[in-house]
Amino acid sequence: MDFNLTQSLFAVLLVFALGDFVGVVTRARISSIFVIMMSFLVLFMMHIYPADVVKRAGLTQMATIGIYFLLVNMGTTADIATLKREWRTVVTAIIGMIAAALGCLVCWPIIGKNDVLTAIPVVNGGIIACRTMVAAAEAHNLPNCAALAAFIYATQKFVGTLPASNFGLIFADKFVKDLRAKHEADPNYSWYEENANQGKKETEVQEKVALFWERNKKFYTVFMCLGIGAFCIAVSGFLAKFTGKFGINITIWCMIMGIILRNCGLVPGNVLRDVAKSNGFFSFVSMCTIVPALAKVNLNNLGSVGFSTLCCIAGAVLFIGIIFYCTPAWKICGDRHFAIGISMCQMLGYPGTELTAMEVIGATAKTDEERDALTAKLNTAYVISGFTSVSLLSIVVASVLANFI
C-alpha cells in the first residue's frame, strides 16, 4: 500500500494506540509493547504496511534525537541516595543480570555468537538496549540479528510478568504471615511505629536542604527543560568524540549528564516527563527506531528468529532460577523467591514492575498496614530493580557488546 506522509504517521500511531488500548483493557496483563511489535510484524508480513512506513512518516531522524532526550531523562531518575539505601536490591538485580547473560551464553553453540551477543543486552534491558543492538546489527548487515533484538523486546515482558508475579506472590504471602505473627505475639505492635524513626530522619534531612531547582522552580518551564536536555546532548556528543574509542559513546554520556544534574540538585527527577511533559513523545519516537527491524522478518527467517528468542529467554529464566536456588546469592535480599522476582524485573521495566508489584499487593494485603508495608518492601524493590537493570546497566552492556557483533 502506498502511504503519503500524513497517512503513514496515522498508520504508525494507530498501532501504538491499539497497544495502549489493549494494555489498559487487560490491566497490563498483555503488554502494550507486545501488541505494538506483534501488530507491526503481522502488518509487514501481510504487506499491509510498507517496510519504510516509519521513514515515510518523517520519524526517522526525530527517533534518533528522541533516544538522546530519553537517555538524559533516564539519568535524571537516578537518585543515588535511594540506590545506596536499597543496595541489597541493586546487587540482587545485578546478579540476576549476570545470570540471564550466562543463560544466553550457553545458547552460543546452538544459535551462534551474533544472536547471543545481540540478545544479552535486550534480555537485560529495554528500549535503549534494543535500539542500540538493532543499530549495531544493521550497521554490520545482520538483518536477522536486528529482527531478533526487536522480537525479544516484544516478547520478554509477556514472559517475564508471570514469574515476577508468581514469585512475588509467594514472598508477599510469607511477608504478610510474618507481619500477622508479630501482631499475634504483641497486640500493640505497629509496623508504622517500627519504621517511624528512619522515615522521620530522612524527612528531616530533606527539609533542611533546599535544592537549586527547588529554589528556582519558576524558571523550569517546558522550553527551559527541553533546552537543558539539548545542552546535555550537545555536551555528550562532544565528549563522545574523545571517549568513543574506549566504548563510552554518546548514549552513555547522555545518561551520565542526567545523573549528574539530578544528584547535584540542578534539575528535578524525571524532568522531561514531569516538567517538560514530553517523555511520552520521546518514548514513542524512540520505539520507532525498532519497528523497521520487524519488516525484515519473513516466513523464511521467522522460525530461526523465534527459535533464538525462545532459547535466550528460556536460558535466562533457567539460569536465574539456578543461581538463586543453588547458590547463597539469595541471602543478599533475604529470600529466594524475592530474589527471583527482583531479577525478573529486568524483563519488565517501568511501569511494568510497579503494575506487577501493585497487583501482587492487592491480592495479598488485607489491611492498610499490610498494604503499606508490602508497598515499602515489594514495590520499592521491584521498581529499583527494573531501574537498575533496564534504565542504567543494560545500556552500558549494550554499548559494550555492540562492538563485538
Side-chain angles (χ1 to χ4, degrees):
M1 188 177 293
D2 189 21
F3 291 170
N4 61 27
L5 187 147
T6 54
Q7 291 169 338
S8 297
L9 182 61
F10 172 70
V12 171
L13 280 165
L14 180 64
V15 176
F16 278 82
L18 173 65
D20 273 0
F21 176 79
V22 174
V24 171
V25 168
T26 63
R27 296 184 180 180
R29 287 182 176 86
I30 299 178
S31 166
S32 61
I33 292 172
F34 176 80
V35 175
I36 291 167
M37 294 300 168
M38 290 300 104
S39 295
F40 274 115
L41 178 63
V42 171
L43 290 167
F44 286 143
M45 292 186 69
M46 295 181 66
H47 302 290
I48 296 174
Y49 277 15
D52 62 346
V53 65
V54 171
K55 183 178 180 180
R56 294 189 188 198
L59 296 169
T60 303
Q61 192 169 11
M62 179 58 70
T64 302
I65 297 171
I67 286 284
Y68 298 148
F69 274 102
L70 202 61
L71 281 161
V72 172
N73 189 69
M74 282 182 175
T76 67
T77 63
D79 183 357
I80 301 300
T82 301
L83 294 178
K84 286 181 179 179
R85 191 165 57 247
E86 294 289 330
W87 70 269
R88 293 180 184 275
T89 299
V90 172
V91 173
T92 301
I94 292 172
I95 294 173
M97 292 178 69
I98 294 171
L102 291 174
C104 292
L105 284 171
V106 299
C107 301
W108 190 311
I110 303 173
I111 63 176
K113 181 195 78 170
N114 289 332
D115 278 11
V116 166
L117 295 181
T118 300
I120 289 173
V122 187
V123 171
N124 282 163
I127 183 172
I128 306 298
C130 180
R131 183 263 181 187
T132 301
M133 301 317 294
V134 167
E138 290 177 341
H140 290 85
N141 195 26
L142 297 169
N144 280 10
C145 288
L148 174 63
F151 208 79
I152 291 175
Y153 178 65
T155 55
Q156 65 175 359
K157 288 176 175 58
F158 189 73
V159 174
T161 300
L162 188 61
S165 179
N166 288 343
F167 284 104
L169 275 170
I170 296 172
F171 169 75
D173 283 335
K174 290 188 288 185
F175 183 86
V176 168
K177 285 179 182 177
D178 289 342
L179 193 62
R180 291 168 184 169
K182 290 179 180 179
H183 277 285
E184 291 177 2
D186 180 8
N188 295 319
Y189 170 80
S190 170
W191 175 83
Y192 296 107
E193 290 182 6
E194 186 178 32
N195 292 269
N197 292 333
Q198 181 181 358
K200 185 178 179 181
K201 289 178 182 178
E202 290 175 358
T203 302
E204 288 174 353
V205 171
Q206 290 174 358
E207 288 177 352
K208 287 180 181 178
V209 180
L211 301 177
F212 176 85
W213 74 266
E214 292 174 324
R215 297 194 303 269
N216 300 278
K217 191 173 182 178
K218 64 182 179 181
F219 295 107
Y220 285 79
T221 62
V222 171
F223 293 140
M224 179 68 77
C225 292
L226 289 174
I228 291 171
F231 169 76
C232 291
I233 294 168
V235 173
S236 298
F238 175 76
L239 294 174
K241 293 180 180 179
F242 303 98
T243 61
K245 58 184 177 182
F246 303 109
I248 306 176
N249 55 27
I250 186 173
T251 57
I252 295 178
W253 277 117
C254 283
M255 190 169 59
I256 291 173
M257 289 292 294
I259 292 172
I260 292 172
L261 292 182
R262 160 68 188 273
N263 290 276
C264 289
L266 298 177
V267 299
N270 246 324
V271 61
L272 296 183
R273 186 193 73 182
D274 296 341
V275 183
K277 309 295 184 183
S278 56
N279 207 50
F281 175 73
F282 291 135
S283 295
F284 159 64
V285 295
S286 297
M287 285 181 66
C288 286
T289 62
I290 302 168
V291 170
L294 294 169
K296 297 179 173 63
V297 179
N298 52 51
L299 292 177
N300 295 325
N301 62 10
L302 180 61
S304 63
V305 170
F307 179 72
S308 295
T309 299
L310 177 63
C311 287
C312 291
I313 291 182
V317 173
L318 178 63
F319 265 70
I320 288 172
I322 291 173
I323 291 295
F324 289 111
Y325 261 99
C326 302
T327 74
W330 63 271
K331 293 183 178 180
I332 295 171
C333 69
D335 185 272
R336 283 189 173 91
H337 301 102
F338 193 30
I340 294 175
I342 288 172
S343 297
M344 294 309 303
C345 289
Q346 66 187 288
M347 296 188 184
L348 301 181
Y350 190 85
T353 48
E354 185 165 18
L355 291 171
T356 301
M358 295 311 294
E359 185 177 39
V360 169
I361 293 166
T364 308
K366 302 300 181 185
T367 67
D368 289 341
E369 183 185 44
E370 291 174 0
R371 189 173 295 106
D372 291 343
L374 266 177
T375 299
K377 184 70 174 179
L378 183 70
N379 187 56
T380 300
Y382 271 30
V383 172
I384 290 294
S385 175
F387 171 77
T388 301
S389 55
V390 177
S391 300
L392 290 181
L393 297 182
S394 69
I395 298 169
V396 177
V397 174
S399 297
V400 172
L401 294 187
N403 298 314
F404 294 95
I405 64 172

